[in-house]
Amino acid sequence: MDKTVATLAEAVAGIKDGAVVMIGGFGGSGAPVELIHALIDRFLATGHPGGLTVVNNNAGNGHVGLAALIEHGMVGKLICSFPRSADPVVFTETYLAGKIKLDLVPQGTLAERIRAGGAGIPAFYTPTGFGTDLAKGKPVEVFDGRPYVQERWLKADVALIKAEVGDRLGNLTYRMAARNFNPLMCMAAAHTIVQVSRIVPPGGIDPEQVITPGIFVQTVVQVPHPAQEEDLNRAKAVYPEINP
Amino acid sequence: MDKTVATLAEAVAGIKDGAVVMIGGFGGSGAPVELIHALIDRFLATGHPGGLTVVNNNAGNGHVGLAALIEHGMVGKLICSFPRSADPVVFTETYLAGKIKLDLVPQGTLAERIRAGGAGIPAFYTPTGFGTDLAKGKPVEVFDGRPYVQERWLKADVALIKAEVGDRLGNLTYRMAARNFNPLMCMAAAHTIVQVSRIVPPGGIDPEQVITPGIFVQTVVQVPHPAQEEDLNRAKAVYPEINP
Amino acid sequence: MTTKLTTAQMAWRAAQDIDDGAYVNFGIGLPEMVARFQPPGREAIFHTENGILGFGKAPEPGEEDWDLINAGKKAVTLKPGTAFFHHADSFAMVRGGHLDVAILGAYEVAESGDLANWSTGPKGVPAVGGAMDLVHGARQVAVITDHVTRDGKAKLLTRCTLPLTGVACVTRIYTNLAVIDIADGHFVLREKLPSLSLDDLQAITGATLHLTGPVGVLIAPEL
Amino acid sequence: MTTKLTTAQMAWRAAQDIDDGAYVNFGIGLPEMVARFQPPGREAIFHTENGILGFGKAPEPGEEDWDLINAGKKAVTLKPGTAFFHHADSFAMVRGGHLDVAILGAYEVAESGDLANWSTGPKGVPAVGGAMDLVHGARQVAVITDHVTRDGKAKLLTRCTLPLTGVACVTRIYTNLAVIDIADGHFVLREKLPSLSLDDLQAITGATLHLTGPVGVLIAPEL
């Protein structure tokens, strides 16, 4: 069993038009910038995939990563909790022009819905959002005298994940708070594609320290020195660069 | 902030009659034998606590640990998935004599109910148990054409936990498959009491490798060379020993 | 007189259907034996409910570490690539559809796919473990069982008589006489011992065996 | 003319109520400032939604590691005893009642404890983040806010006019003029600036201020 592939292009080759794509990260931390850019490269070369539904905590920052994915018109709908950032111009303009749909979900509910998708829990109850506009139309049930909102699982066709160390079986570790949504999205996608800074042989990760066991991962590609979205934005990067 | 206490007796001193007590472990692996025995010592000295409701995957093995707790008549009700073992005589006789109530829960549902208790999810739906005797009387809802059973969270007054390394903030690691229910029960109890093989200063556990963050832990006590229940049973141990 | 498959041969036969790279959970008892017969060149990854993925074979006697056990409380070993996780993550793997195959024992299986494998009735101490979880979620739920009870009664039935473990969950049955799929509420015979006539097999099967094509020959090496 | 508390003084006042050993989450913006004024000898543990418990202060400029940030995407640092975890575990801490205090900003607070702090109406791009989760679960949900809007309108009201973040969730309010508890659907005045009369405070408060005992003096050091 070997889940590694040699190139980013190969890693993202199977993503179809209209796919639901979970993208890890919280802001730039844990965002799989190189996988996203490989997907943009494919779109620029082939016109596919388009019409994606993206699940991410945010909506991109500047003109790289998720923001660039949106800027290229590849995203038809975004499911997120906080579509604001230091430089939110791409999402804001696309949204206000009516060119992208937004499904706003409270952050903890978003995380739990993704975990539920991965754990085979079709629905659960949460106090979050009760009595607010974001719970409108959702079933409410009272447990022990307190009202709770029913929320549904969230699954994806594909997850794009940034991890730190991986092996050919798909076992993963993360780097500090870049962990965030990544391990949950690994669980909730039918096909989880991971960029890691370093591939090690099986056993190279202490079994106690595996954060995502390989069962949740389908494809691993090595990206030795991944860009930090924050650094790209401070350098005013645009993807793809016009003058590379 | 210092959650460590010096003695096992001090660690278990606050557990009240009738408390709901989650006890970690899967069979003997991860079972907090010394904490349980300290609780038995207290009962033998003071007559308290009694009438406990215990949540554990099993029902004890031989005459030590959970089996000894039951043998001393301290447990009024057991919530578990598999009340059998190599030597189940204590639970079997107590149960068949009508002296202990049994609430049988499928193992994955038990784990998820405990996690839900810790995560503030009062109820969730699972396919497990649908159409079986163990789901009788429970609400059923159909999602995407498939029927699911509604299950409620499980919380406890106290959790007795076995971990490997801990610090004064309550951060924990576990040892191999002794992890099992322990991290979940840490989350679901109002007061989580942990025996660790080794206490280290804060920072002594790599922040990437903390399995249970200290927020889920209230009391930590060091037990340097904890007994393995399986070894005690192979030595035909009985607690407390009649001829020590 | 038909020579039935031994338990080892049944386990061998079930092992032939496990693909390279498959994630597999084996129920306690006979199903655990399937792990021993993994065909050369294939690397399946074994899951155990108590929080290990990718464990190895049993240790030598005296080498056991009782924190490294499987769901049957038997000692196992580490392999390069093993991962530990807690019980909720473990059953997320089960319930969430991440296992390719679960292979379980059975008291009874119905042609609907209903399985009874946890309780023989109201007497004694009931125990369920992870069986009810395993029957939901794994992409394929296979059963490995003698074709009939020790008393010669059919275990493959139109309807289970014992308390159910799960409804419409079993997809394939390996017995000591035959390999049978469950499709659209029917038993579909895939393979049988060559020495056994279809009529004789049907006579000890409690529901109709359907044929959707040629019936293969069930053979296994001496083990 | 009353000298209102500065934002630093409001943050200082809120910090005085955080016990040694408390687990605390600070909302983005002004609430984050509370962390700076932890009284000597007390060690509170800070939680951030993106999966860190027990982080330290901001790094020096140029020393930032952008994988080590808080919910406001600002760089933080490690401290001995820091732990990392994923987003579901992070919100298990929030929703599961494990935080002692959440301190949040507010557009409006109602005497019922209703909070509006995520949306100023249907225009523009809506964004909620973790606010709706934080208002449920923390044992105490405190708000830190100017007493009135920039236009002088009351923010403490009988009923919120903006979209709600949560129903009946706020337990205490720190303003630049007063400290107010919410109990049984009422604002209960605990402290006010000494130079401000009760009548003047009531005049800029959109619901009745109840008294259940002597009103303390709200003072803060020069900061």
Side-chain angles (χ1 to χ4, degrees):
Chain A
M1 185 193 288
D2 188 353
K3 299 179 180 178
T4 63
V5 297
T7 65
L8 285 160
E10 198 179 337
V12 302
I15 302 175
K16 295 189 168 61
D17 287 347
V20 177
V21 182
M22 290 180 176
I23 302 182
F26 180 86
S29 165
V33 173
E34 284 76 7
L35 282 173
I36 298 170
H37 290 174
L39 201 57
I40 293 171
D41 290 350
R42 199 185 130 207
F43 180 78
L44 292 174
T46 68
H48 303 282
L52 302 174
T53 292
V54 167
V55 182
N56 181 267
N57 186 63
N58 302 98
N61 189 9
H63 301 270
V64 295
L66 175 54
L69 201 73
I70 294 168
E71 195 159 29
H72 284 86
M74 296 169 68
V75 184
K77 181 179 173 184
L78 183 69
I79 301 173
C80 82
S81 91
F82 201 76
R84 286 187 198 149
S85 65
D87 177 7
V89 63
V90 169
F91 177 79
T92 301
E93 291 188 354
T94 311
Y95 177 75
L96 295 178
K99 291 180 181 164
I100 191 168
K101 288 180 194 161
L102 172 65
D103 184 357
L104 195 69
V105 180
Q107 194 172 133
T109 298
L110 183 63
E112 190 67 13
R113 288 178 63 192
I114 296 167
R115 183 203 174 261
I121 303 291
F124 60 89
Y125 290 90
T126 174
T128 301
F130 173 75
T132 76
D133 291 351
L134 296 190
K136 268 186 188 156
K138 294 185 176 174
V140 169
E141 192 163 333
V142 173
F143 297 99
D144 311 330
R146 188 175 170 191
Y148 294 87
V149 179
Q150 187 190 91
E151 293 282 355
R152 293 297 312 278
W153 63 14
L154 204 50
K155 296 188 179 206
D157 300 304
V158 174
L160 300 181
I161 299 298
K162 181 181 187 178
E164 178 68 4
V165 181
D167 65 25
R168 67 170 169 80
L169 303 172
N171 293 308
L172 305 176
T173 68
Y174 299 89
R175 184 167 182 276
M176 300 199 280
R179 192 182 298 190
N180 55 65
F181 283 90
N182 281 299
L184 307 174
M185 290 178 171
C186 286
M187 298 169 66
H191 193 103
T192 293
I193 303 165
V194 186
Q195 64 169 78
V196 299
S197 298
R198 196 155 50 95
I199 292 175
V200 297
I205 304 172
D206 180 338
E208 301 282 6
Q209 296 172 26
V210 172
I211 301 301
T212 293
I215 193 170
F216 297 128
V217 171
Q218 281 69 43
T219 299
V220 178
V221 61
Q222 183 167 295
V223 177
H225 300 287
Q228 189 63 268
E229 191 185 274
E230 183 75 22
D231 291 332
L232 295 179
N233 279 321
R234 287 177 177 233
K236 309 270 181 216
V238 174
Y239 194 84
E241 297 162 74
I242 295 161
N243 303 308
Chain B
M1 186 195 287
D2 188 354
K3 298 178 179 178
T4 63
V5 297
T7 66
L8 286 159
E10 200 179 335
V12 301
I15 302 174
K16 295 190 170 58
D17 287 347
V20 176
V21 182
M22 290 181 175
I23 301 182
F26 179 85
S29 166
V33 174
E34 284 76 7
L35 282 172
I36 298 171
H37 289 175
L39 202 56
I40 294 172
D41 291 348
R42 199 184 130 208
F43 179 77
L44 292 174
T46 68
H48 302 283
L52 302 174
T53 292
V54 167
V55 182
N56 181 266
N57 186 63
N58 302 97
N61 188 10
H63 301 269
V64 296
L66 175 54
L69 201 73
I70 294 168
E71 194 159 30
H72 283 86
M74 296 168 70
V75 184
K77 181 178 173 184
L78 183 69
I79 301 173
C80 83
S81 91
F82 201 75
R84 286 186 200 149
S85 65
D87 178 6
V89 63
V90 168
F91 177 80
T92 301
E93 291 188 354
T94 311
Y95 177 74
L96 295 178
K99 291 181 181 165
I100 191 168
K101 288 181 194 159
L102 172 65
D103 185 356
L104 195 70
V105 181
Q107 194 172 131
T109 298
L110 183 63
E112 191 67 12
R113 288 178 63 191
I114 296 167
R115 182 200 175 264
I121 302 291
F124 60 89
Y125 290 90
T126 174
T128 302
F130 172 76
T132 76
D133 292 351
L134 295 191
K136 269 186 187 157
K138 294 184 176 175
V140 168
E141 192 162 332
V142 173
F143 297 99
D144 309 330
R146 188 174 171 194
Y148 294 87
V149 179
Q150 186 190 93
E151 294 282 354
R152 295 296 312 278
W153 63 14
L154 204 48
K155 296 187 180 208
D157 299 305
V158 174
L160 300 182
I161 299 299
K162 182 181 187 177
E164 179 67 5
V165 181
D167 65 23
R168 66 171 170 80
L169 303 172
N171 293 308
L172 304 176
T173 68
Y174 299 88
R175 184 168 182 275
M176 299 198 282
R179 193 182 298 190
N180 56 63
F181 283 90
N182 280 300
L184 307 173
M185 290 178 170
C186 286
M187 297 169 68
H191 193 103
T192 293
I193 303 166
V194 187
Q195 64 170 78
V196 299
S197 298
R198 196 155 51 92
I199 292 176
V200 297
I205 305 172
D206 181 338
E208 301 282 5
Q209 296 172 27
V210 172
I211 301 302
T212 292
I215 193 170
F216 297 128
V217 171
Q218 280 69 45
T219 300
V220 178
V221 61
Q222 183 167 294
V223 177
H225 300 287
Q228 189 61 269
E229 192 186 273
E230 183 74 22
D231 292 330
L232 296 178
N233 278 321
R234 287 179 176 232
K236 309 269 181 217
V238 173
Y239 194 84
E241 299 161 73
I242 294 162
N243 302 308
Chain C
M1 161 94 195
T2 300
T3 303
K4 299 169 186 171
L5 296 193
T6 63
T7 51
Q9 287 175 312
M10 291 162 67
W12 177 90
R13 176 61 191 87
Q16 305 313 302
D17 290 342
I18 300 175
D19 292 332
D20 184 38
Y23 290 92
V24 189
N25 182 295
F26 299 113
I28 297 174
L30 172 53
E32 288 178 72
M33 196 185 285
V34 178
R36 286 205 235 146
F37 299 107
Q38 199 165 185
R42 291 192 215 166
E43 180 189 18
I45 308 266
F46 303 146
H47 168 268
T48 182
E49 293 94 307
N50 53 314
I52 320 178
L53 194 67
F55 58 87
K57 60 186 177 153
E60 295 299 316
E63 300 285 307
E64 299 92 349
D65 184 322
W66 299 112
D67 285 339
L68 190 57
I69 59 174
N70 66 14
K73 319 281 197 303
K74 295 193 190 74
V76 296
T77 51
L78 293 174
K79 275 173 61 174
T82 302
F84 298 119
F85 35 86
H86 62 51
H87 243 85
D89 282 349
S90 183
F91 280 89
M93 294 176 190
V94 173
R95 210 192 296 106
H98 304 283
L99 293 174
D100 294 292
V101 191
I103 302 185
L104 305 171
Y107 298 141
E108 297 175 345
V109 187
E111 60 185 345
S112 60
D114 291 1
L115 173 66
N117 81 346
W118 73 281
S119 169
T120 53
K123 284 188 187 168
V125 177
V128 64
M132 285 192 185
D133 305 281
L134 282 166
V135 297
H136 297 289
R139 288 181 198 121
Q140 198 180 16
V141 176
V143 154
I144 183 165
T145 177
D146 282 353
H147 203 89
V148 298
T149 67
R150 286 183 194 175
D151 306 338
K153 287 184 197 154
K155 299 183 80 167
L156 280 57
L157 306 169
T158 53
R159 201 185 168 95
C160 293
T161 65
L162 292 170
L164 292 185
T165 305
V167 174
C169 52
V170 176
T171 54
R172 174 161 271 209
I173 309 166
Y174 301 98
T175 81
N176 48 357
L177 304 178
V179 177
I180 294 164
D181 279 346
I182 292 179
D184 300 325
H186 299 301
F187 289 134
V188 180
L189 182 63
R190 298 298 184 197
E191 296 176 13
K192 68 171 182 60
L193 290 179
S195 57
L196 186 70
S197 76
L198 182 55
D199 285 351
D200 287 349
L201 184 65
Q202 180 64 72
I204 53 172
T205 305
T208 304
L209 292 169
H210 292 250
L211 305 184
T212 60
V215 175
V217 174
L218 175 56
I219 45 168
E222 298 285 327
L223 292 166
Chain D
M1 165 94 197
T2 300
T3 304
K4 298 169 187 171
L5 295 193
T6 62
T7 52
Q9 286 176 312
M10 290 163 67
W12 176 90
R13 177 60 193 85
Q16 305 312 303
D17 290 343
I18 299 175
D19 292 333
D20 185 38
Y23 290 93
V24 189
N25 182 293
F26 299 113
I28 298 174
L30 171 54
E32 289 178 73
M33 197 186 284
V34 178
R36 286 205 233 145
F37 298 106
Q38 200 166 184
R42 292 192 215 165
E43 181 188 18
I45 309 264
F46 303 145
H47 168 269
T48 181
E49 292 94 308
N50 53 312
I52 321 177
L53 194 67
F55 59 87
K57 59 186 180 160
E60 296 298 315
E63 301 285 307
E64 298 90 350
D65 183 323
W66 298 111
D67 285 340
L68 190 58
I69 59 174
N70 66 14
K73 318 281 197 306
K74 294 193 191 73
V76 297
T77 51
L78 293 173
K79 275 173 63 175
T82 301
F84 298 119
F85 37 85
H86 62 50
H87 244 84
D89 281 349
S90 183
F91 280 88
M93 294 176 191
V94 172
R95 211 191 296 105
H98 304 283
L99 293 175
D100 294 291
V101 191
I103 302 185
L104 305 171
Y107 298 141
E108 296 175 345
V109 187
E111 60 185 344
S112 59
D114 291 1
L115 173 67
N117 80 347
W118 73 280
S119 169
T120 52
K123 284 190 186 166
V125 177
V128 64
M132 285 191 184
D133 305 280
L134 282 165
V135 298
H136 297 288
R139 287 179 199 122
Q140 197 180 17
V141 175
V143 154
I144 184 165
T145 176
D146 282 352
H147 202 90
V148 297
T149 67
R150 286 185 192 174
D151 305 338
K153 287 183 196 156
K155 299 183 80 166
L156 280 58
L157 305 170
T158 53
R159 202 186 168 96
C160 293
T161 66
L162 292 171
L164 292 185
T165 305
V167 173
C169 53
V170 176
T171 54
R172 174 161 271 209
I173 309 166
Y174 301 98
T175 81
N176 48 356
L177 304 178
V179 176
I180 294 164
D181 279 346
I182 291 178
D184 301 323
H186 299 302
F187 289 134
V188 179
L189 182 64
R190 297 299 184 198
E191 297 178 12
K192 68 172 182 59
L193 290 180
S195 57
L196 184 70
S197 75
L198 181 55
D199 284 351
D200 286 350
L201 184 64
Q202 181 63 72
I204 53 171
T205 305
T208 305
L209 293 169
H210 292 248
L211 304 184
T212 60
V215 174
V217 174
L218 175 56
I219 46 168
E222 297 286 327
L223 292 165

